[in-house]
């Protein structure tokens, strides 16, 4: 009985967080911490930092990965399934409704004007995020990264190499570099 | 088979988007616009705009939207399952490894080398949206009638606001403002 109660609480927590979190994965990570560390006291602060690192090290949406890490820690496999179901249900329902709406209203002139204006806004948001990410990357003072960035950009933008291949190549280089460093540096890696 | 294609396309998007929400954007474009042609470039831009205005991860939003457009609610379910499958397995494996060995540094080394590629791809995807927004023909040229002055003003204003401390955490407010400004301009100029 107690177990089922905990699962419901996990489900409603991630459902609620996912339904009201605008502005990307990092926001939801903060809210997961508030809920499960500060509010429910189910996870201690230090362990939460590691769960966040797990979420950020996995591919895919951070909100989903965060739900996996928290769900696993709290209740194993049933915890994962409940937490992930809670996290994806709100966007699934909302985007299904919008998809119907979009098809019906795409040709409406008011909707078109709003989308047109918002398009200029979304460009600004994306480029601002790129600025933040570039500055953050430069702080690492790892000078191999800048030529890598320029090469990846040129390959995708000018030579139309698919994003899939660029990510796979960079991941392979990352694995090689990490393994070489670990061999050379021993414990320092 | 549309369900198989949806599943595989979104499986790849989920499996390869390292580094949070925006990292998925170039991969969504590669699969839905370039590879399968499910979305036009304008449709992709609308999708990114809608995803930014609604709660939830962009990859899940995209899977639900594209799945629904192509094959209704069951298409949406298949695409969503595809997009979260590898991330869920990967995060579970990491959580399990972490419980046993308490060490994540190897993965973080790999991520550091991945980051420049991720940033470069997001930048390229951003330019692919920006240029058709600022230039009516989709080509950078200052021939009469080609640059969209109003879009350029909206973009510049939004970018400046995004760089201020007060509004940088409120992208939805900025985007809604741009939408309303465009609507007001069209109504006034009609």
């Amino acid at each position: 009985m107690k177990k089922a109660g905990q699962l419901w609480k996990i489900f409603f927590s991630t459902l609620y967080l996912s339904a009201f979190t605008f502005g990307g994965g990092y926001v939801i990570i903060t809210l997961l911490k508030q809920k499960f560390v500060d509010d429910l006291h189910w996870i201690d602060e230090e362990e939460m930092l590691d769960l966040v690192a797990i979420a950020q090290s996995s591919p895919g949406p951070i909100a989903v990965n965060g739900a996996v890490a928290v769900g696993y820690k709290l209740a194993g496999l049933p915890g994962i399934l409940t937490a992930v179901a809670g996290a994806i249900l709100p966007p699934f329902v909302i985007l299904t409704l919008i998809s119907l709406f979009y098809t019906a209203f795409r040709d409406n002139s008011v909707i078109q004007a709003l989308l047109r204006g918002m398009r200029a806004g979304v460009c600004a948001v994306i480029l601002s995020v790129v600025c933040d990410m570039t500055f953050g990357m430069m702080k690492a003072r790892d000078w191999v990264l800048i030529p890598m960035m320029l090469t990846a950009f040129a390959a995708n933008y000018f030579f139309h190499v698919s994003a899939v291949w660029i990510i796979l190549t960079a991941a392979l280089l990352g694995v090689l570099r990490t393994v070489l460093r670990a061999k050379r540096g021993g414990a320092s890696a | 088979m549309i369900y198989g294609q949806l599943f595989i396309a979104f499986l790849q998007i989920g499996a390869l988007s390292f580094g949070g929400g925006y990292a998925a954007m170039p991969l969504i474009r590669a699969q839905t616009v370039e590879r399968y042609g499910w979305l036009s470039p304008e449709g992709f831009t609308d999708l990114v705009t809608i995803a930014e205005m609604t709660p939830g991860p962009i990859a899940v939003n995209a899977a639900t939207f594209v799945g629904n457009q192509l094959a209704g609610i069951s298409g949406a379910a298949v695409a969503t399952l595809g997009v979260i499958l590898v991330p869920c397995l990967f995060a579970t494996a990491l959580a399990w490894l972490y419980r046993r060995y308490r060490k994540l540094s190897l993965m973080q080394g790999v991520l550091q080398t991945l980051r420049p590629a991720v940033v470069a791809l997001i930048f390229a995807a951003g330019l692919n949206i920006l240029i058709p927004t600022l230039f009516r023909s989709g080509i950078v040229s200052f021939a009469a009638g080609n640059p969209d002055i109003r879009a350029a003003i909206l973009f510049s204003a939004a970018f400046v606001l995004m760089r201020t401390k007060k509004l940088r955490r409120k992208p939805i407010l900025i985007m809604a403002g741009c939408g309303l400004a465009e609507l007001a301009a069209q109504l006034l100029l009609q």
Side-chain angles (χ1 to χ4, degrees), chain B residues 61-73:
Chain B
N61 288 341
T64 310
F65 185 83
V66 175
N68 263 307
Q69 299 278 315
L70 290 179
I73 190 109

Side-chain angles (χ1 to χ4, degrees), chain A residues 95-109:
Chain A
L95 262 288
T96 298
L97 294 176
I98 286 182
S99 173
L100 299 171
F101 170 85
Y102 177 77
T103 318
F105 291 95
R106 192 173 20 191
D107 301 327
N108 176 294
S109 63

Side-chain angles (χ1 to χ4, degrees), chain A residues 19 22 50 57-60 72 91-92 95-96 99 102-103 113 116-119 128 132 145 148-149 153 156-157 178, chain B residues 15 17 45-46 53 55 61 64 68-69 87 96 98 109-110 113 116 120 123-124 131 148 163 168 172 175 178 182:
Chain A
F22 293 85
D50 293 324
S57 306
S58 304
Y72 179 79
F92 189 84
L95 262 288
T96 298
S99 173
Y102 177 77
T103 318
R116 199 183 154 85
M118 287 195 292
R119 197 174 290 177
S128 177
D132 290 339
L145 302 184
M148 269 191 76
M149 182 166 76
F153 175 75
N156 183 251
Y157 194 76
T178 311
Chain B
S17 53
T45 309
D46 286 346
M53 297 295 290
N61 288 341
T64 310
N68 263 307
Q69 299 278 315
W96 182 79
Y98 170 73
V110 177
T113 315
F123 182 51
I131 288 171
D148 185 337
R163 303 310 297 172
R168 64 180 311 136
I172 295 179
M175 289 174 58
C178 287
E182 172 69 26

